[in-house]
Amino acid sequence: MDHPQADEEAEAIRAAPRPPVPQAQAKFVTGSTMRHVVVMTSTGSIGLMAVFAVDLINLWYISHLGDTVATAAVGYASTILFMTTSVCIGIMISAGALCSRALGGRNRPLARRFAASTMVWMLVVTTGVALCSFPFIRPILAGLGATGRTLDLATIYLQITTPTVILIGIGVGFSGVLRAVGDARRAMYVTLSGAIVAAILDPVFILWLGLGVEGAACVVVFSRAALALLGWYGAVRVHGLVARLSIRDALADFIPIIGIAGPAVLANLATPVANSYMTAVLAPFGDGAVAGNAVTGRLVAFCFGGIFSLSGVVGPIFGQNYGAGRLDRVRRTLTDAFIFTTIYALVMWAVLAAGHHGVVRLFNIVDPEAARLIEFFCLFVAGSWIFHGLLFVANASFNNLGFPIASTIFNWGKTTLGTIPFALAGATLWGAEGALAGQGLGAVLFGVIGVWWAYRSLRRLKGPKVGPAPARAASD
């Protein structure tokens, strides 16, 4: 028996308009460039600080066990984790740059395809990093100077956390896509989720269950899983800005992706390599010096998170305006980013200098060598991060405006010529504090040169550079 009314209702349901897929807009090509810099960097820094806050929270709880060896072990392990995280951030920069250029040129299908292709390569690279590094964890730590029980604890920590480089790669990759579309708030929530999980679970695993270093490593696994899940939800489910993953598209897009990701990864690796070198330089001064350096390293990552985030979050502002042919706004963005970075670093330096005694008490530092190193950093060496920051901004412009090789050269120049001779000379003449001072002096030199070279590079820009059109429609 036919039911005309039911048929009419079914037809009306089929004909009803469906909610449209959110359309990405190039929001950075209009409005105040300083406002875009402040909003994107502020939210981005909160997000990236949240990533590093996981290590900071771990170290804080470990330090309250009253075991300098355990604190030093986490310091050694965190040096390696920072290196793998930097690889992921380098690939994230490629995702943000390519997607933002495509959106600036009003080519949403190309942006979706670039996002998907970049995520394929993120999975390939992070899986390779995990598989290749896992068998060599103990030799690497020993090469940095870890010995005895410190070496044993650091090895256990890395054996648990190294496979999760895949998870953090997924999370930061999707956060780069969110920043490319201008959703700074959701990108911040993605990375903030990891810190929230760590803050909740660290006291449970480290203190209440008494698992110590092993518990801290387990918390890293859970925090990175949360990062990956929320990143996928924002980029894929909310914005629909990631096409279906395709090996064929990823291979076809390899050249534009590696053109940015390759130099960006190499550039980002320079900082953790420099940190590894500093750990090796300080190792002869004992576990106290290494523990103090571990605390200063986490302070840098947390307090100066805005500087670390610049290469990822300011990049889309450069990319969209470059893609739209607004070279005047590109230059204004660069200047505004330099101004913002300088003010931000000065404020952080003032806070650390004013609270240097409090930092030592906060981390329950009882070793006198560790305490002296932390206080010296807060009072003097933290000021060098003004120039680290200026170079990070310059590198962001290089990565997103077609000069990625310059970013690699400057970062590795700072890591080698700006770190090794200065730190070695400082350690020889004035001990552990002299090593930190030498590293800071090298940063001043390369920061000044980086600013000059960034403006020089802008004069060479001719017009927009969006990238090749896709050979076929992006997969849905």
Side-chain angles (χ1 to χ4, degrees), residues 170-257:
I170 294 171
V172 300
F174 283 135
S175 72
V177 174
L178 290 170
R179 291 190 182 99
V181 75
D183 193 346
R185 177 176 55 86
R186 187 166 278 108
M188 177 186 68
Y189 291 158
V190 169
T191 47
L192 193 60
S193 64
I196 294 173
V197 169
I200 295 172
L201 296 184
D202 263 334
V204 176
F205 279 77
I206 297 174
L207 300 180
W208 296 348
L209 296 180
L211 295 178
V213 171
E214 294 92 335
C218 291
V219 172
V220 171
V221 176
F222 289 116
S223 66
R224 291 184 171 185
L227 189 79
L229 182 62
L230 284 185
W232 169 83
Y233 178 78
V236 177
R237 302 296 295 174
V238 175
H239 285 283
L241 201 58
V242 183
R244 182 177 301 169
L245 301 187
S246 166
I247 299 296
R248 186 170 72 172
D249 285 349
L251 291 172
D253 296 334
F254 176 76
I255 296 301
I257 291 173

Side-chain angles (χ1 to χ4, degrees), residues 40 46 53 95 129 135 146 163 175 187 224 229 235 244 246 251 276 313 325 333 346 351 353 356 406 417 431 448 455:
M40 291 295 290
I46 293 173
V129 167
S175 72
R224 291 184 171 185
L229 182 62
R244 182 177 301 169
S246 166
L251 291 172
S276 300
V313 301
T333 299
L346 282 171
V351 170
H356 63 284
L417 298 177
V448 171
Y455 282 114

Side-chain angles (χ1 to χ4, degrees), residues 55-122:
D55 281 341
L56 183 69
I57 295 168
N58 277 341
L59 191 65
W60 187 79
Y61 278 108
I62 289 293
S63 68
H64 279 72
L65 295 176
D67 187 350
T68 302
V69 171
T71 304
V74 174
Y76 279 112
S78 296
T79 299
I80 307 302
L81 287 182
F82 187 20
M83 192 173 299
T84 58
T85 301
S86 296
V87 172
C88 300
I89 293 174
I91 301 175
M92 178 201 74
I93 290 171
S94 178
L98 292 172
C99 291
S100 62
R101 288 181 191 175
L103 293 173
R106 299 181 180 275
N107 192 340
R108 190 173 188 273
L110 181 59
R112 296 184 70 242
R113 172 171 158 168
F114 275 144
S117 296
T118 305
M119 291 308 300
V120 170
W121 287 112
M122 179 73 83

